[in-house]
Structures are given as structure tokens and as C-alpha cells.
Amino acid sequence: MNIKSIRFRLTMWYSLAFFIGTAVMFFVFYLVTKQTLLLQTDQELTVHANALVKIIENGQTNMMTGIFNQGVLSQQFSEMPGMLVAVTDASGKITASSQVGAEKDPVILDLLQKSSMVVEPIFVDRAIGSRILRIGVFPMLNNGRAMGLVLMGDPVEAIYHSMNRLLVSLVLVILLFFIPALI
């Protein structure tokens, strides 16, 4: 094998271009897939948060005065195990929660403090206990005045686990393409 030959150099350049092109294509595929899954989760959180806001606005429960109607939250969100639901009043105090001790959880309190002035929904990933949750923070507004916040969290470990497996698979596929192409 003559490494100074034109044939060798062209083969190396083509192999490198093939490897970089394939890696970029797989990287974009990975990012688009991850973003699509998280966007779908965000849409589901938005639907559930809007339903909860309507329940509160319609007076079906008296959460804003500190009376927690566990039955309404359980009925509305029982099909989603591990889901976090918390409602705050205008001062930022948690008035209702699906999680025992949410008013003392440092992650939730930090998120509430940072989100106290939001006017549009925001979405973040946070580890609460041993679970990773995609949390949507939704402001409750009445005539432009803040009435409180609704936090909706959905476990996303399955998404991140699947994305890690996809990444490993893509790296293996790239290597399986690159080595024969180089040879």
C-alpha cells in the first residue's frame, strides 16, 4: 500500500467525506427525533394543564383557597402514573399537589421561584427524586393578572433511555459503514 499514491489519497478523502456526511445525517436524525418526542410530551402536558385550568376557573374545585380536592386531580390524571401536578396561588405558594411534600421539594421550589413572572408556558427537564420529569409551567391569568401557576410534570426516562439506545445504534451503524468503505 503506497500512501503517497493518488489512489490512496482519493480513497482517504472519499472515505472521510462519506464518514462525515453519514455522521452529520445521523446526528441530525437523532436531534430531530429527540425534539419530536419532547414536543409531543409538551403538547400532552399543555392539554392536561389547560384541562386543569378550566376545572379551577369553572369553580369545580376550590384549590386556590388552599382546599385540595384530591378526587378531581386523581380522576383527571389517574391514567398517567408518575405525573406531577402542582397548583400555586398568586403569591407562589403551592395550594394543591399530586405529590406529597411538593411544597418542600427544593427542585420544585427553585422552579417556582424562577418561574414566578412567566406569562407564556415554559418547559424544562428536572430530576425529582429518582425520576426525570419534563415539566411544563403554565401561568393562570385572569384579565392579564397572574392568578398562580400550574406545574405539570411527566416522566421522560423512557424517552431518554430510547434516545441513548438510538445513539449507540447510530454510532455502530456509522462504524459498520465506515470500516468497509475505508477498506
Side-chain angles (χ1 to χ4, degrees), residues 11-160:
T11 302
M12 292 307 293
W13 279 110
Y14 286 135
S15 297
L16 184 62
F18 176 74
F19 176 73
I20 291 173
T22 305
V24 167
M25 181 182 66
F26 283 169
F27 181 71
V28 168
F29 174 75
Y30 173 84
L31 289 179
V32 167
T33 302
K34 180 179 178 180
Q35 192 62 31
T36 301
L37 291 172
L38 291 176
L39 182 61
Q40 182 179 359
T41 302
D42 293 349
Q43 290 170 345
E44 291 173 9
L45 288 173
T46 301
V47 167
H48 290 296
N50 289 338
L52 182 58
V53 168
K54 285 182 182 180
I55 290 170
I56 294 169
E57 287 174 350
N58 292 335
Q60 295 176 10
T61 184
N62 205 4
M63 289 184 188
M64 298 313 290
T65 61
I67 301 169
F68 178 51
N69 187 341
Q70 183 69 34
V72 172
L73 279 183
S74 297
Q75 177 186 3
Q76 185 71 28
F77 303 105
S78 62
E79 73 275 4
M80 299 184 75
M83 186 164 199
L84 166 70
V85 180
V87 179
T88 71
D89 59 14
S91 68
K93 180 183 173 208
I94 295 177
T95 59
S97 175
S98 64
Q99 179 178 335
V100 177
E103 62 278 349
K104 295 178 183 175
D105 189 306
V107 175
I108 294 173
L109 293 175
D110 181 55
L111 185 58
L112 287 173
Q113 181 184 17
K114 290 178 180 176
S115 306
S116 62
M117 303 303 277
V118 299
V119 292
E120 293 290 324
I122 59 170
F123 299 94
V124 294
D125 294 338
R126 294 286 189 268
I128 297 182
S130 62
R131 304 192 88 156
I132 299 173
L133 297 178
R134 180 76 170 176
I135 300 175
V137 180
F138 303 90
M140 289 188 295
L141 303 173
N142 187 6
N143 296 328
R145 195 172 130 251
M147 299 300 293
L149 295 172
V150 172
L151 266 70
M152 300 293 283
D154 193 13
V156 289
E157 288 114 355
I159 291 174
Y160 284 108

Side-chain angles (χ1 to χ4, degrees), residues 30 159-170:
Y30 173 84
I159 291 174
Y160 284 108
H161 181 71
S162 297
M163 294 309 298
N164 288 339
R165 290 179 65 194
L166 177 63
L167 184 62
V168 168
S169 298
L170 291 177

